[in-house]
Amino acid sequence: PASLVTLCGLRTLRAVHSIALDPVTGIGLVAAVAQLINFSVDIVKTIREVYEQGSVGRYNNLEYTSGQLSSLTKTLQQSLRDISPHSPTLTSTERDLIDISRKCDQCAQGLQRELYKLHSHPHSSFLAATRRATRAVWKRPKIEEISKQLDNYRSALETSLLFRL
């Protein structure tokens, strides 16, 4: 029986040894493990932020800016509407300005809705913070896309306003 165990042990050792990975597969495995570790660290940091502050820190400034931009575009739209009763028709520049400001406002409100979904009460519960943090990490590409789109609208709005001067 001892020789059988040794024989089985050698066979198992030889079987494990013969499953050597080729270099490309090994590098892919290491990259996948590194990516998993990076994702895990990001999740843990985000859970801590949401638990302690009630929101994701990296989005606080973005939320404030989008709120201010939404408010300013509404004021601009109202100002242009107030001007229009005094003139029979709006110029094409004014119509473009209203259109861009409307799109900018819609985009800013969409971003605010997405960011609001990530809020939690500070120190409410670890489970709630974990859900919000996981949602924040998974929604990051969408939030960054909306943010980039909002920045493009803001830039177009600035250009249109400067052109109007």
Side-chain angles (χ1 to χ4, degrees):
S3 61
L4 183 60
V5 170
T6 305
L7 184 61
C8 290
L10 285 176
R11 284 187 185 159
T12 306
L13 183 60
R14 285 185 187 151
V16 170
H17 182 65
S18 67
I19 303 179
L21 299 175
D22 64 288
V24 175
T25 306
I27 291 172
L29 181 64
V30 169
V33 169
Q35 192 174 27
L36 180 65
I37 290 170
N38 187 27
F39 179 75
S40 299
V41 167
D42 192 29
I43 285 280
V44 169
K45 284 180 182 178
T46 307
I47 289 171
R48 184 175 178 197
E49 280 181 359
V50 171
Y51 181 74
E52 291 177 355
Q53 300 171 8
S55 64
V56 182
R58 73 176 77 99
Y59 296 142
N60 289 341
N61 189 35
L62 187 59
E63 187 172 8
Y64 173 78
T65 305
S66 65
Q68 290 297 315
L69 194 54
S70 178
S71 177
L72 289 172
T73 56
K74 286 176 185 174
T75 303
L76 177 64
Q77 288 173 25
Q78 187 60 45
S79 296
L80 289 170
R81 283 190 203 109
D82 290 345
I83 291 172
S84 66
H86 302 302
S87 65
T89 60
L90 293 173
T91 65
S92 64
T93 306
E94 290 170 338
R95 283 192 302 271
D96 290 344
L97 193 57
I98 289 173
D99 185 48
I100 291 170
S101 66
R102 188 178 303 120
K103 289 178 181 178
C104 186
D105 182 39
Q106 289 171 351
C107 189
Q109 288 180 7
L111 182 59
Q112 285 180 312
R113 279 191 300 274
E114 288 298 323
L115 294 174
Y116 184 75
K117 293 175 187 176
L118 305 178
H119 282 265
S120 179
H121 295 292
H123 303 287
S124 60
S125 79
F126 183 74
L127 184 60
T130 302
R131 281 192 301 249
R132 301 286 190 218
T134 304
R135 184 179 292 157
V137 171
W138 285 110
K139 293 236 177 208
R140 182 180 299 156
K142 183 177 182 178
I143 290 171
E144 288 175 357
E145 179 184 330
I146 296 171
S147 177
K148 185 185 266 186
Q149 187 179 21
L150 181 62
D151 192 45
N152 289 339
Y153 284 134
R154 181 200 49 80
S155 179
L157 190 62
E158 285 177 358
T159 303
S160 184
L161 284 169
L162 288 174
F163 180 74
R164 188 165 187 247
L165 294 176

